[in-house]
Amino acid sequence: MWANLLSAAVAACTPALVLAEVFSLSNLEWTLKNQNGSIVIPATIPSQAHLDLAKAGIITEPLLGINDFTERWVVNDNWTYTADLTPITKSFESRESQKALLVFYGLDTIANITVAGHPVAWVDNQFQQYVYDVTDLLASPLEHNNNVTVAFESAWYYGMNASSRPDAEYSPTPDFEYAEVRQFIRKTQSDFGWDWGPAFVPSGIFKPAYLVTLSESSSHSTTPASHPLLSSESGSIFIEESSLEISKVGQTPISTPDQGADWLVNVTLSVRSLTASEHPTITISIPELHLTSQPLSVGSIPASTKSPTLVSASFRVSDSIPERWFTHDLGDPKLYNFTITLSLPSGRSAQTASFTLRSGFRTIELLQTPYSQEDVQTRGITPGDQWHFSINGKTFFTKGTNIIPFDPFYARMTSDQVGWVLESAVKSGQNMLRVWGGGIYQPSDELTGVYDFYSACDELGILAWSEMIFSDATYPVDSWLLDSIDPEVRQNVRRINKHPSNAQWAGGNEIEGIVITINQTLPNGTHYLDEFVELFGDFLHDITFQEESSVAYTDCSTTSGVLSLDPYVIRFDNKTPGFIYGNSERYNYDASQAFNYSTYPVARFVNEFGFHSMPSFYSWEEVLLSPEDFSFNSTVVMSRDHHPPAGSLAWPNPNAPQGQGQMTMAVEAWLPTPGTSDSNQTFAQWCWSTQVFQSLNMVSEIAWYRRGAGLGENNLGALVWQLNDIWQGVSWSSVEYSGRWKVLNYGMANIYTPVVVYPFWTPDNQTLEVLVTSDKWEPVSGTAQLTWYTWAGKVLESSTHHFTVPSLNNSVIFQGQGLDTILPSGHDAEDVWMLLNLTAKVDGETITHEQYFTPVSLAEANLVEPSVTLTHSEDFTFTVAAKTGVAAWTWLDHPSGTVGYFTDATTGSPLNGFYLIPGIERTVKFVSSQALSKVANPDPADFVVRSVWNNTHL
C-alpha cells in the first residue's frame, strides 16, 4: 500500500529539484563496487551487497548449497554504493527558501556518506534513521561530482578492530560463527551466526532512502497524507518522526490504569521546518468517531533544517466513545484513523503538515507485583510475584511463539511473506509474538521499512512483545556505545508507540541469567553484573519512560522479576525458597525426558521452550544441488545444523553431530525408525518424523503450562521457540522458510484451541489424568468422550464425561492408576490407544477438540497397515480414508512451489497430522496463498499423504 502511495508521489515530481518534494533514491541508477575496484556492477536500493552480487551473476543465490561458506569472501571486503543525483538536481540553486534533506531509514552498518564530493557523516548503527541537510553540498559540488555515495566497511573487520583496542572489554560469553565482535556493533546480532541460521554479515542500504525538499513556494495539499513522510508535500515542514501513544489518564507503565478514566491521546512529532513559529499547534482528529480537538498549543519551532525539534500535544477522549482493541481471540482488533495536523502560523500565513495514522484504544499491562496474602490463602496461589499480561483490565492466557529475522537479507523481504507468517500464527490460535532481541526492530510500513510488521499485527489482532537488540552476551557501557544506543532506542520506541499490538519492551534476550552465572563463577563477575544494571536496569529503562511509552519495561526476556518497580530494582538472586518470581524457559535435548513433567518448569510464564527439527523434503529441494545430498547426515544437510554452534568459523559445524544425534534419538525413541528401499522416501520420512516428535513435545509442554493456570503457579503464558525460519535448515521453527507449515504449526492450532482435553500420563507410577482446560473468561460446560481403539480400528470401550471449567482454569474428568485398571480388559499396552473428543458451547458456538493417548511409544506399538487412500476434487478438497488399520499421524503434503495450509472442510479450522480411523473419513481443503505460491494452480494429483506407517513401508 505504502509503495503505491510513494510511486504516485514520485510520479508527480519533475526532474527539477524545486518541485521534487519527496524523491525516492530507489529511482536512481546505482552502482556497487568493492574496495579495489575489481568488481563494479549495477545495484539497487534497498538492497545488500550479496543480493546485488547475485543479481549481477558474480555469486549464486546465497542460500544455495554451501554458499554460506563459499561466499564468506563478501564479508571480508568493503562495498560502496554510488548514484548520480543529476536527474533531480540539475536545476538546483541554493536559496533560503529551499532546502534539501537526505533521509536514510536504515544503513547496514558501518559507513561513510558523501554527497557531491563532500563528507556528510560516518555512521555505525543499523537501527537508526539518519537525516542530513545537504542543501549547501548540492549547491557546490566538488569537481563536478554530483553523486551520493555510501561506502560500507566490513562489519567483521570493524568488529575485530574495535575488540582489539586496549580498552575493549572482554566478554566471557560463548559465541556462534563470527565470534567476539557483535557486542561492539549495533547490528543484527544473528548476522554473525546463530544456532538456527547462517552468518552472512550483510552490508548495504537495506531500507528505503529519500531526498526530501522543503520550499515555501511549494503548493499546499489540503488532503492529509497517508504517511508522515509524504506530509512534506505541504511544502516547508518535514516530519522526521511521529509518535502516537494512547493510554488512560493517569496511567504509567507500572500502574494499573483506571479502566473508566478518559483516554489520553498523546502525539509527539520531530520536526524540521523552513518556517519559524512561536505559537505552533497540533490538531488531532478521529473521523470515525466525529472527534476533533481544538488546536493544541505546543512549544515554539525554529526555522531549522539542520536538526529537529520535538513537540508534543495531548487530547482527551471519553472512555465511552471508542471501541477497544482486543486480540483476535479475545474480541475485535478495532482500529481508527487519527489525522494529525501541525500548523505553524507565521505572519499572515500558516504552513501546515497533515497526515493520518492508524491505531486503537487498549490498555496492556504486565503485572509484576506480589500476589496478596488473600490470593495465597483463598486461591491457593504459590507465594511470590505475578508475571502475566492483562488487556483492557482483563487477565488472559498468552499463547504464542517467538520470531527471528525472516531472511538473512532484510532488504528482500516483502509484506506478503511476513504477512503469511503472521497469519499462520493467528490461524494456529496464537495471540502474542515475541520479537526476539537478537534480530531487528521490526518495521511499521513499507515506505520506511521495506515491509509491514507492526501495522499487520494491529490489523490481525496479535500482540507483539518487543525487545531491544541485545542478546546472549555481556555488553560494554562505553560512552561511545551508549551515545549510539540512545537515539536508536528513542527512535524505535517512539515509532512503535503508535501500535496497539505492542505489549511490552524487554531490554534484551537471556542476558540476566548470563550475568547471574558470571557473578557466581568469575572472580570479577560483579563487574559484569554492575554493567548489566547500568545498561538494562537504568539506561534503557529510563529511555522507555522518558519516551512516554505506557507499556511495561523488563530488563530481559527471561527474568527473576523485580524487587521494586519504582525505583526499578531487579531481583537477581534475592529470592525466598518456595516462592515463584519472574518468568522461565525450558530446553532439554534428552529425548527420553521429553514427556517427563517433572522436568518442565513450574512457572508463572514460560517465554521460550523448544526442540529442533528438520525442514521438509520440499524445502531441501530448494537448496540441495546433488542427489547424494538428500540424506539425513549428508555433509550439506549437516552443515545446516548449527546446534550446538561452532563458536568459530570452522566449517562444516564440528558440533553438528550432536544436534543431529538429538533428533535421531528422539525419532528412534518415540516413532518407528525410518528405513525403506527408497532413499528419498526414507530421507523425507526422517525429516517429517523429526517434525512429528517436535510437535508431540511442544504440545505436551503447552498442555502442561496451560494446566498450570489452575494450579499454584497460576501459569498464564506459553511462547514456543520459534515461529519462523531464516533459511532452509535445522531449526526450532513451526513455519519453514518458504511459508510451508511444519507439523508443529498444526499441533499448536490444536492445543491452542480455547478449550482442550489432554491426557497427562506419568509412566513412573502409571498414572493417567485427563483434564479439560479453558482460556475463556467465562465458565465453559460440555462433554468429553474417551474411546479406546485397537490399532486395527476396533472400538473396545467408550465413556462420556460432563464438565464445567471455571474461567482460566481446568477440570479433571478422569483419573486412573495402573495399566491393569486403565487399559481395556484383556489388552496389552502395545495394541491399543485412546481417542479423546471434546464438545462445548463457547460464545454461542459449538467447538470441538481431539487428542490422542498411547500408553507406549509409537516405536513400540503394534501398528497395523492402514491402507490409506486419497481422493480429490478440483477445488482442492481432499478426502482421506484408512481401510485396514489406524494411520497414526496422517499427514497431507502440498507440492513444491505452493504455499498454503489444510483446513477441516466442515469447520474451517487448520487440520493435518491426525489419527485416521477405518470407517471414519476425513475431508480437508487446501487453502493456498496466491501471493506466495510460485505454482498458482497445482495439480491435485501431486498432493501426497503419509503416516508413521510409511517410515518403514513404501
Side-chain angles (χ1 to χ4, degrees), residues 625-643:
L625 303 177
S626 301
E628 59 268 22
D629 293 338
F630 288 82
S631 174
F632 192 80
N633 289 318
S634 72
T635 299
V636 181
V637 167
M638 289 187 68
S639 78
R640 288 179 179 242
D641 187 344
H642 291 192
H643 165 71

Side-chain angles (χ1 to χ4, degrees), residues 327-404:
T327 56
H328 68 94
D329 59 325
L330 299 175
D332 179 27
K334 180 66 177 178
L335 295 171
Y336 295 95
N337 292 309
F338 293 76
T339 298
I340 316 300
T341 302
L342 174 66
S343 179
L344 276 65
S346 179
R348 295 184 177 182
S349 63
Q351 294 288 322
T352 63
S354 186
F355 59 92
T356 297
L357 300 176
R358 195 155 168 79
S359 189
F361 293 84
R362 64 92 182 93
T363 65
I364 185 76
E365 299 172 76
L366 174 58
L367 289 89
Q368 302 177 76
T369 55
Y371 280 101
S372 67
Q373 189 61 32
E374 181 181 358
D375 287 328
V376 174
Q377 292 177 341
T378 63
R379 297 177 56 197
I381 302 295
T382 304
D385 293 349
Q386 303 176 85
W387 212 100
H388 63 263
F389 292 91
S390 172
I391 188 168
N392 296 319
K394 295 185 175 182
T395 292
F396 66 100
F397 194 98
T398 302
K399 300 179 287 189
T401 52
N402 295 257
I403 67 162
I404 61 171

Side-chain angles (χ1 to χ4, degrees), residues 264-317:
L264 189 67
V265 180
N266 185 75
V267 171
T268 299
L269 304 178
S270 177
V271 182
R272 297 186 190 226
S273 175
L274 280 181
T275 305
S277 179
E278 291 295 321
H279 305 289
T281 62
I282 290 176
T283 304
I284 304 169
S285 174
I286 313 172
E288 298 99 320
L289 299 177
H290 308 289
L291 293 175
T292 301
S293 72
Q294 295 296 317
L296 305 167
S297 297
V298 298
S300 63
I301 295 177
S304 173
T305 53
K306 298 294 185 183
S307 60
T309 300
L310 283 175
V311 292
S312 296
S314 297
F315 174 43
R316 290 172 72 136
V317 175

Side-chain angles (χ1 to χ4, degrees), residues 115 256 302 536 544 664 711 734 763 800 804 891:
V115 168
T256 296
F536 296 95
T544 61
T664 300
L711 302 178
S734 67
T800 300
T804 297
W891 179 257

Side-chain angles (χ1 to χ4, degrees), residues 186 434-438 441 465-471 475 485 488-489 504-512 532 535-537 540-541 544 552-558 568:
R186 297 310 301 145
R434 174 177 160 238
V435 183
W436 173 71
Y441 299 93
W465 158 334
S466 303
E467 290 186 2
M468 296 157 193
I469 309 304
F470 303 89
S471 182
Y475 288 82
I485 292 169
E488 161 200 325
V489 173
Q504 76 143 334
W505 279 105
N509 171 65
E510 296 182 325
I511 306 173
E512 182 187 305
F532 178 85
L535 178 57
F536 296 95
L540 298 176
H541 168 273
T544 61
Y553 171 87
T554 57
D555 65 284
C556 193
S557 59
T558 306
Y568 188 72

Side-chain angles (χ1 to χ4, degrees), residues 35-104:
Q35 184 168 356
N36 66 12
S38 61
I39 297 174
V40 181
I41 59 173
T44 59
I45 70 164
S47 190
Q48 285 152 305
H50 287 79
L51 302 180
D52 289 313
L53 290 167
K55 288 177 186 175
I58 304 297
I59 62 174
T60 56
E61 160 58 45
L63 297 189
L64 284 176
I66 61 171
N67 282 351
D68 62 310
F69 171 66
T70 61
E71 294 176 1
R72 281 179 176 171
W73 64 270
V74 179
V75 178
N76 300 333
D77 213 333
N78 297 330
W79 298 96
T80 298
Y81 283 83
T82 303
D84 184 359
L85 287 167
T86 300
I88 54 172
T89 62
K90 58 186 177 183
S91 62
F92 179 70
E93 295 179 4
S94 179
R95 296 192 301 270
E96 283 296 318
S97 61
Q98 186 174 342
K99 298 292 183 181
L101 302 178
L102 183 61
V103 182
F104 291 105

